[in-house]
Amino acid sequence: MLILISDAFDPGLPQLLEKFGEVTDDNNRMPEADVILVRSKTKVNREYIDEAKKLKLVIRGGVGIDNIDSEYAASKGIKVHNTPKASSIAVAEVAMTLMLSMSNNLVMGHNGLLEGKWLKKECTRRELYGKTLALIGMGNIAVETAKRAKAFGMNTVAYRKSGNMSEYADVKQSIEEAVQDADYISLHLPLTDETREIINAELIASMKSDAIIINTGRGNTVDAEAMSKALVEGKIGGYATDVWPSDPPPSDYPLLEAPNCLFLPHIGANSPENLLRIGQEVLDIISENQKEGLFS
Ligand SMILES: NC(=O)c1ccc[n+]([C@@H]2O[C@H](COP(=O)([O-])OP(=O)(O)OC[C@H]3O[C@@H](n4cnc5c(N)ncnc54)[C@H](O)[C@@H]3O)[C@@H](O)[C@H]2O)c1
């Protein structure tokens, strides 16, 4: 069996995988691979799947599988797995980092000092304590974010597709109801036909004008033109994101020019601790599929 590691995983993983067969990171050998490990960089689309003649299993180290054409893979008898639980803590910590950085004008203060400026007056702050956080999507990552927000003394409300009970947030019946009184809105949605640009001009207009949006879900859940316009017109407090329409975003992506933004280059899942957890889930998935006879 040949296992191709196509994207960045824990450096110790290749050695651990050797018990299953040969392991390579040479993408030229993709057509020979039985198992391919990807994160978000490799796009497992139709052309890719057509070339991967021996492929039986694709494992996405992470949560979202929007870089994999799962339907087409299934039609070719190829199994697709992700590692759904591993990344929750890592991404929740990034959501909190963005929330705290925006609330304390961290980048302005830092850059000011590097430029010889003492921006004590300009660096306005506000506390998270007592503020309302709306979590949009209330899955694994949002739950970890809610736990941390509660430790900061925040009130948490949420909106999600199904289910209205949560011990971590007051789940509202509609997205409008969830965002209307929120000081912070943290997006934790997968990208689907339903969630694409769910954060649109109309919804932004219903938010508090000083609300801060944090996006660690997917870039295209936000209408970038509408968000950019709201930021320029002062109708929303700020937008901080780890996620983009593509990695990296196109140079004309509207939010790159907008004020009161804070950007990270899609690092939510990239802690070494998380890569270790992802690696363990990968080992478990291959082992289970081997037991079920997928490779024999
Ligand atoms: N920044 C990063 O590096 C990074 C890392 C991992 C995951 N992610 C993103 O975070 C997302 C959430 O991850 P998770 O582990 O919490 O996933 P999850 O599957 O546990 O939770 C997803 C939540 O979204 C809700 N949802 C789905 N469609 C909806 C809709 N149309 N309207 C309202 N709610 C809807 C679901 O009900 C669920 O509560 C992933 O899909 C992925 O896109 C980003």
Side-chain angles (χ1 to χ4, degrees):
M1 164 159 73
L2 180 66
I3 302 174
L4 168 64
I5 304 182
S6 186
D7 295 334
F9 282 79
D10 178 67
L13 187 60
Q15 204 185 341
L16 297 173
L17 288 169
E18 278 168 8
K19 65 178 174 190
F20 299 111
E22 192 187 350
V23 183
T24 183
D25 60 2
D26 178 359
N27 275 306
N28 293 322
R29 296 190 63 194
M30 179 267 259
E32 301 165 54
D34 300 273
V35 180
I36 298 181
L37 311 187
V38 302
R39 302 249 341 264
S40 39
K41 196 169 163 206
T42 303
K43 308 294 171 218
V44 186
N45 51 26
R46 274 173 179 254
E47 298 77 58
Y48 188 99
I49 291 168
D50 284 340
E51 257 191 75
K53 300 277 183 229
K54 290 190 66 189
L55 188 58
K56 298 176 186 72
L57 174 63
V58 183
I59 306 177
R60 156 80 165 102
V63 185
I65 51 166
D66 39 310
N67 57 324
I68 302 172
D69 189 335
S70 304
E71 240 174 72
Y72 191 60
S75 77
K76 298 269 175 184
I78 298 165
K79 288 178 101 173
V80 175
H81 274 270
N82 61 352
T83 59
K85 290 260 162 102
S87 306
S88 310
I89 290 170
V91 183
E93 287 194 9
V94 166
M96 293 307 295
T97 300
L98 290 173
M99 236 181 286
L100 285 162
S101 304
M102 290 295 277
S103 303
N104 294 290
N105 252 316
L106 193 112
V107 174
M108 183 198 276
H110 176 82
N111 287 344
L113 276 153
L114 293 184
E115 290 161 16
K117 295 179 196 154
W118 187 250
L119 301 176
K120 190 160 177 154
K121 265 194 216 128
E122 291 81 352
C123 276
T124 52
R125 303 189 49 214
R126 76 177 185 194
E127 296 176 1
L128 299 188
Y129 180 79
K131 304 297 186 304
T132 295
L133 167 66
L135 298 140
I136 307 302
M138 191 59 187
N140 295 315
I141 297 171
V143 164
E144 291 302 328
T145 306
K147 287 184 199 166
R148 285 153 182 78
K150 282 199 166 293
F152 274 84
M154 300 183 88
N155 309 311
T156 51
V157 300
Y159 172 69
R160 66 177 169 204
K161 193 173 176 174
S162 52
N164 52 12
M165 294 290 288
S166 169
E167 63 179 289
Y168 301 105
D170 176 8
V171 179
K172 304 289 186 187
Q173 292 305 309
S174 69
I175 192 167
E176 290 78 11
E177 213 187 324
V179 301
Q180 65 187 5
D181 296 321
D183 303 292
Y184 297 83
I185 296 160
S186 194
L187 308 177
H188 299 283
L189 293 165
L191 183 63
T192 65
D193 290 344
E194 272 176 2
T195 64
R196 184 174 295 276
E197 299 195 348
I198 193 170
I199 311 298
N200 55 26
E202 200 183 332
L203 190 68
I204 296 168
S206 75
M207 297 172 184
K208 286 169 82 170
S209 62
D210 61 352
I212 290 173
I213 322 286
I214 308 293
N215 193 357
T216 57
R218 281 291 177 262
N220 280 336
T221 60
V222 171
D223 177 342
E225 290 281 357
M227 183 64 75
S228 180
K229 189 163 180 282
L231 287 159
V232 169
E233 292 173 355
K235 294 191 173 146
I236 200 77
Y239 180 70
T241 191
D242 182 42
V243 286
W244 303 91
S246 59
D247 286 359
S251 56
D252 61 351
Y253 187 55
L255 284 160
L256 291 171
E257 298 286 322
N260 299 324
C261 286
L262 179 56
F263 301 138
L264 287 174
H266 201 172
I267 58 164
N270 278 10
S271 64
E273 296 87 345
N274 186 39
L275 293 182
L276 273 177
R277 285 191 294 266
I278 288 176
Q280 190 52 56
E281 282 200 44
V282 166
L283 291 171
D284 293 344
I285 292 166
I286 298 179
S287 174
E288 256 167 52
N289 279 284
Q290 192 176 46
K291 274 186 214 146
E292 287 168 11
L294 185 69
F295 310 113
S296 46

